Amino acid sequence: MALLEILNLTKGFRSPDGSVTPILDVPSFSLDAGAQVALAGSSGSGKTTLLHLIAGILTPDSGSVEVDGTSVHTLSESKRDAFRARNIGYVFQTFNLLGGFTALENVLLGMTFGPGADREFAKSLLERLDLADRLDHRPGQLSIGQQQRVALARALANRPRLVLADEPTGNLDRKRSSEALDMIREMCAEQDAALLLVTHDSDALAKFDTTMDLTDVNRASTAFVDRSVN
Amino acid sequence: MGTLWMIVRRSLRQHALSTAVTVVSVALAAGLVMSVFAVSKQTRDAFTGGEIGYDAVLGARGSPLQLVLNTVYHLETSPGNIPWSLYQSIKNERGVTAAVPYAVGDNYRGWRIVGTTEQAFAEQQFAATNPGGRSFDERYPEAVIGAEVARKAGLTVGSKFSPYHGLIFKESEKHADVYTVVGVLEPTNSPSDRVIWIPIEGIFRMEGHVLRGTGEVYEPATGASIPDEHKEVSAVMLRLGGRTGVRLDQTINRQGTVATLAYPIEKSMAELFEKMGWVVKVLELVAYLVVVVAAGAILASLYNTMNERRREFAILRALGARKGTVFAAIVLESSTIALLGSLVGYVIYAAILGTAAAVVRSQTGVVMEVTDVHPALWWTPAGMMVVGAIAGLLPAFKAYSTDVAASLVPGS
């Protein structure tokens, strides 16, 4: 049963001269519930744009994204925000933690926009990620690896059906990167959340049973004809 | 709401310096607004609503206000003298329950000396801190002094002093007469606390003084009694019964040409404040302008942080915060800054009020009721919060319009 279904999804960005440069053209893509898939793509291949479209942060020029039977882009903006908060966890390359909030508050904040803050669950997640003694530390007081784990806890805090990870190990060294990936996969499996991870790191890709090349998914990244669409 | 508060609290803490500066500017505005409204009213109340002890003042033809300022508040100069016969005739007037003559024109090191009769302080208590106090004997050079004079001039029962001619202290104007303090009055929190009272006969006979009760210059001879026709007084303080004041106002002010009756006393002071009304209006205008400047400060401080906070808003949005949530967070933040500023504004208000009360008391002896709560004390913070919310609209709209996808990228 597919949790994520993408059909004929296109997205382009308007250049200063008025022309539109296509970034994404995905005829179809699907991800089963609980599956873990890594998408390989080089810088500028549209990885982040794809994840933003799936999460409803960006709106497509055409096509559809269905998550757990809901057509994300037919929802109003505020409903899309609420849907994202409840159903999709997002791990950013730069973690995007809020500097003024403690580790625990960062996790709780993510929960408040979803089903509601559950302090005990937030703490248990952080403890599970070896951050029991860092709950009251702000991001600036945490190591990069610890920040990454806080970001992971925040992504999982609302028990999402789908976790999107955008180069989550891009800022870590090889050893930490391997540990972090194991943790992400393990935690997603524990919570029965499907994981779609995009990366250009071959070591990261090697961790996954199912990997795909973004160029096989995104026709726009392989097009060699004039991309301007007016 | 809890989430909004959390966002606001963290933001204020993160931008502590700019928050503090903005809070101070709002505090100045709020403190100024509260002070202008409350202090002006309390000053007016203090000068027009206090217990004076008299209903009217009879004095030389001229300004009732000058008469009141000179006799009740012991400020300004006397508008002139009236003959003793006028004092005697008003004293015997039907409906006049008390008539106390005042003769002014001397001082002791700046403290005004008023020549009067024992009746002036018949209802006052002598200070327990100066035991043995009594009223002066009108036949001798004795003095009863107000509490503030005793405290500040260092006089006590048994002290001797020589008056100085005029209302302004000049060392060279010292009279040869020597007076003995026989009583110190209990504090009354009124201008009387700043006065030295001596027998009116003492003023008549002060070395160098002359009397012009008949229009001719008369200098009293030592040991000889002074004929009433030569005597004159600066004013007569009156207590009136029934509608006597209205009747006397008609006969003395409207039909007469010799004297002026300041009645009721509060009316003269109220007229002074009416005349000064435009000053209060100007101050109010200035206060409102400062509020506008403070609102601008809130707007600028928030707006200037919007660029650095774009990523923060984008993260919140990515986490599922609605646009309206981000908008509300900024408006709540600007209102909170305004509220914090208003709370600090109370300190500024208290400082201004305290200073004003101290200055008014030291200059006039009038005590302001500093604990009175003026409505401005609650509507100013409420108004500042509304102004703060309005000032937050533009930054909030900028936050509302954040391009989430573009702003999530580091360094965007």
Side-chain angles (χ1 to χ4, degrees), chain A residues 188-228:
Chain A
C188 285
E190 270 180 30
Q191 293 201 22
D192 197 26
L195 171 65
L196 178 61
L197 180 143
V198 294
T199 184
H200 68 276
D201 178 1
S202 54
D203 289 340
L205 291 166
K207 292 267 184 187
F208 284 78
D209 297 331
T210 308
T211 61
M212 299 175 79
D213 200 312
L214 194 57
T215 52
D216 295 334
V217 176
N218 178 16
R219 288 193 307 194
S221 66
T222 54
F224 51 80
V225 293
D226 182 2
R227 289 180 177 179
S228 60

Side-chain angles (χ1 to χ4, degrees), chain A residues 48 52 57-58 77-79 81-82 84-85 88 90 92 94-102 105-106 108-110 112-114 138 154 158, chain B residues 2-3 6-11 13-14 311-325 400 403-410:
Chain A
T48 301
H52 281 173
I57 291 171
L58 281 177
E77 189 173 14
S78 62
K79 284 188 175 157
D81 293 335
R84 179 167 60 249
I88 300 173
Y90 207 124
F92 301 91
T94 50
F95 318 137
N96 281 338
L97 297 176
L98 291 166
F101 294 74
T102 65
E105 287 168 344
N106 262 285
L108 286 171
L109 193 63
T112 58
F113 301 123
R138 287 200 287 278
R154 186 179 64 185
N158 289 337
Chain B
T3 308
M6 187 157 77
I7 295 169
V8 168
R9 278 207 317 272
R10 292 295 176 275
S11 173
R13 190 174 70 184
Q14 253 190 312
R311 189 145 172 253
E312 176 188 328
F313 301 135
I315 295 168
L316 289 171
R317 292 291 316 285
L319 292 176
R322 295 173 186 183
K323 274 184 163 183
T325 305
Y400 179 92
D403 181 338
V404 179
S407 304
L408 282 171
V409 182

Side-chain angles (χ1 to χ4, degrees), chain A residues 136-211:
Chain A
D136 297 323
H137 287 58
R138 287 200 287 278
Q141 300 166 311
L142 298 172
S143 69
I144 297 293
Q146 288 168 333
Q147 289 180 38
Q148 215 266 359
R149 279 179 273 159
V150 174
L152 176 59
R154 186 179 64 185
L156 294 169
N158 289 337
R159 297 181 175 90
R161 300 293 316 278
L162 174 64
V163 171
L164 304 173
D166 186 359
E167 296 273 17
T169 57
N171 285 325
L172 303 178
D173 59 35
R174 179 172 285 196
K175 181 171 175 294
R176 297 239 177 243
S177 169
S178 175
E179 288 171 0
L181 281 169
D182 288 344
M183 200 174 300
I184 292 171
R185 296 192 64 203
E186 198 179 316
M187 296 287 284
C188 285
E190 270 180 30
Q191 293 201 22
D192 197 26
L195 171 65
L196 178 61
L197 180 143
V198 294
T199 184
H200 68 276
D201 178 1
S202 54
D203 289 340
L205 291 166
K207 292 267 184 187
F208 284 78
D209 297 331
T210 308
T211 61

Side-chain angles (χ1 to χ4, degrees), chain A residues 5-195:
Chain A
E5 284 265 14
I6 295 175
L7 272 179
N8 301 321
L9 190 70
T10 66
K11 180 70 179 175
F13 289 106
R14 192 168 289 278
S15 304
D17 64 2
S19 62
V20 175
T21 306
I23 298 295
L24 270 182
D25 181 0
V26 181
S28 74
F29 179 84
S30 66
L31 182 71
D32 286 344
Q36 298 194 345
V37 172
L39 271 180
S42 56
S43 187
S45 61
K47 301 189 300 281
T48 301
T49 303
L50 175 62
L51 296 190
H52 281 173
L53 285 167
I54 294 171
I57 291 171
L58 281 177
T59 51
D61 296 335
S62 64
S64 68
V65 174
E66 269 193 23
V67 176
D68 203 14
T70 299
S71 178
V72 174
H73 297 287
T74 58
L75 299 173
S76 65
E77 189 173 14
S78 62
K79 284 188 175 157
R80 210 161 58 231
D81 293 335
F83 181 82
R84 179 167 60 249
R86 286 178 177 273
N87 296 284
I88 300 173
Y90 207 124
V91 183
F92 301 91
Q93 179 180 355
T94 50
F95 318 137
N96 281 338
L97 297 176
L98 291 166
F101 294 74
T102 65
L104 181 60
E105 287 168 344
N106 262 285
V107 178
L108 286 171
L109 193 63
M111 296 170 112
T112 58
F113 301 123
D118 181 342
R119 180 172 281 266
E120 288 311 309
F121 183 60
K123 281 168 84 170
S124 72
L125 270 176
L126 289 167
E127 283 163 8
R128 170 80 179 75
L129 291 164
D130 292 331
L131 291 168
D133 57 348
R134 294 287 185 274
L135 299 182
D136 297 323
H137 287 58
R138 287 200 287 278
Q141 300 166 311
L142 298 172
S143 69
I144 297 293
Q146 288 168 333
Q147 289 180 38
Q148 215 266 359
R149 279 179 273 159
V150 174
L152 176 59
R154 186 179 64 185
L156 294 169
N158 289 337
R159 297 181 175 90
R161 300 293 316 278
L162 174 64
V163 171
L164 304 173
D166 186 359
E167 296 273 17
T169 57
N171 285 325
L172 303 178
D173 59 35
R174 179 172 285 196
K175 181 171 175 294
R176 297 239 177 243
S177 169
S178 175
E179 288 171 0
L181 281 169
D182 288 344
M183 200 174 300
I184 292 171
R185 296 192 64 203
E186 198 179 316
M187 296 287 284
C188 285
E190 270 180 30
Q191 293 201 22
D192 197 26
L195 171 65

